Amino acid sequence: MTLHIPALPLTAAALPSERAALRALRKAIADRIEADIALLDALDGDPDLEDGHDAEDVTLAMRGGLAA
């Protein structure tokens, strides 16, 4: 995959069209990152599930509830 990044001046003196292009590029990158993170989360399943935790004898008190 080849990513073409246009040569834009990164100064405050950039033309409005260049600033708009830079904002659009930054948004596209951020959107791609968010999509990739969402995909990884979906592939991993429950991020709070610990390996083997469900097989343990967990009491209500250990879960933060009231002890019987």
Side-chain angles (χ1 to χ4, degrees), residues 3-68:
L3 178 63
H4 173 69
I5 300 175
L8 298 175
L10 301 175
T11 66
L15 297 174
S17 63
E18 292 171 330
R19 287 193 302 267
L22 184 57
R23 277 193 305 275
L25 179 60
R26 290 177 61 87
K27 183 177 179 341
I29 292 169
D31 290 346
R32 179 71 253 161
I33 291 169
E34 289 296 326
D36 289 345
I37 290 171
L39 177 60
L40 289 172
D41 287 345
L43 292 173
D44 287 342
D46 185 358
D48 297 324
L49 182 63
E50 296 179 12
D51 291 338
H53 180 72
D54 292 338
E56 296 174 9
D57 183 24
V58 179
T59 64
L60 183 59
M62 291 174 66
R63 292 183 186 153
L66 298 174

